[in-house]
Amino acid sequence: MFIRNYREADIDSIVDLFYGTVHAVNKRDYSREQLDAWASANDLEERRESWRASLSRNIAFVAEKEERIVGFTDMNRQGYLDRLFVHKDYQGQGIASALISVLESEARKSNLPEITTNASITAKPFFESKGYRVVRSQIVERKGVELVNYKMIKELNPQ
């Protein structure tokens, strides 16, 4: 596996990975209606445009295996981890751990005191295993559909 900086040319692979992962991996914790509200096939083009802009502004990395993008993550300059997704066919191979390690290293270099995120029910155990703690559970609304997630935080020790 190889981790590199995000490039705009990655956007199609990233959006497709996100859609496929949400619908395959998160289905154990969310209903079909919730999954469709979170990651709708009708929103792919709009998502490509909005994510192209935000990923270019943020600190963003992709993981590649055999020249295929198998994961990605990004964080804004204030330490909000926006996205961390691993391809549905590459779960459990340490890809998310490697990505979050690189992201946390960048946060420390930027002297950020903490990283925050909004983790899905599915992702919560992963983040807890990496030292993040739940601040609160919350209900977010997507297209009129409610989904539960967790505001989480990890305080970073200065190096």
Side-chain angles (χ1 to χ4, degrees), residues 66-125:
E66 299 160 359
E67 298 182 28
R68 178 181 190 186
I69 293 176
V70 295
F72 71 98
T73 190
D74 71 304
M75 173 181 67
N76 71 18
R77 306 287 172 182
Q78 293 72 44
Y80 174 69
L81 191 161
D82 194 2
R83 293 163 280 232
L84 174 61
F85 289 90
V86 173
H87 191 284
K88 63 183 179 62
D89 297 335
Y90 291 84
Q91 298 282 310
Q93 297 181 24
I95 296 166
S97 294
L99 284 166
I100 204 165
S101 178
V102 170
L103 205 64
E104 288 176 2
S105 176
E106 288 299 312
R108 286 184 179 96
K109 287 178 191 173
S110 298
N111 294 314
L112 292 172
E114 63 191 24
I115 296 177
T116 61
T117 194
N118 293 318
S120 67
I121 296 168
T122 314
K124 179 179 167 265

Side-chain angles (χ1 to χ4, degrees), residues 20-148:
T21 298
V22 166
H23 283 271
V25 176
N26 297 88
K27 70 181 181 184
R28 67 178 178 246
D29 298 308
Y30 295 93
S31 70
R32 177 71 183 187
E33 179 186 32
Q34 289 172 317
L35 296 173
D36 288 339
W38 182 4
S40 170
N42 297 329
D43 294 341
L44 294 178
E45 192 54 42
E46 180 183 322
R47 189 174 308 278
R48 280 183 182 88
E49 292 310 311
S50 67
W51 282 19
R52 180 177 284 120
S54 64
L55 286 163
S56 294
R57 281 190 311 270
N58 288 351
I59 299 165
F61 297 98
V62 299
E64 288 184 330
K65 220 172 193 183
E66 299 160 359
E67 298 182 28
R68 178 181 190 186
I69 293 176
V70 295
F72 71 98
T73 190
D74 71 304
M75 173 181 67
N76 71 18
R77 306 287 172 182
Q78 293 72 44
Y80 174 69
L81 191 161
D82 194 2
R83 293 163 280 232
L84 174 61
F85 289 90
V86 173
H87 191 284
K88 63 183 179 62
D89 297 335
Y90 291 84
Q91 298 282 310
Q93 297 181 24
I95 296 166
S97 294
L99 284 166
I100 204 165
S101 178
V102 170
L103 205 64
E104 288 176 2
S105 176
E106 288 299 312
R108 286 184 179 96
K109 287 178 191 173
S110 298
N111 294 314
L112 292 172
E114 63 191 24
I115 296 177
T116 61
T117 194
N118 293 318
S120 67
I121 296 168
T122 314
K124 179 179 167 265
F126 168 78
F127 281 104
E128 288 174 327
S129 77
K130 299 301 176 190
Y132 290 72
R133 65 177 169 79
V134 173
V135 174
R136 68 178 172 272
S137 65
Q138 48 193 18
I139 297 174
V140 295
E141 188 177 309
R142 299 281 184 264
K143 299 182 180 175
V145 178
E146 292 184 343
L147 297 94
V148 172

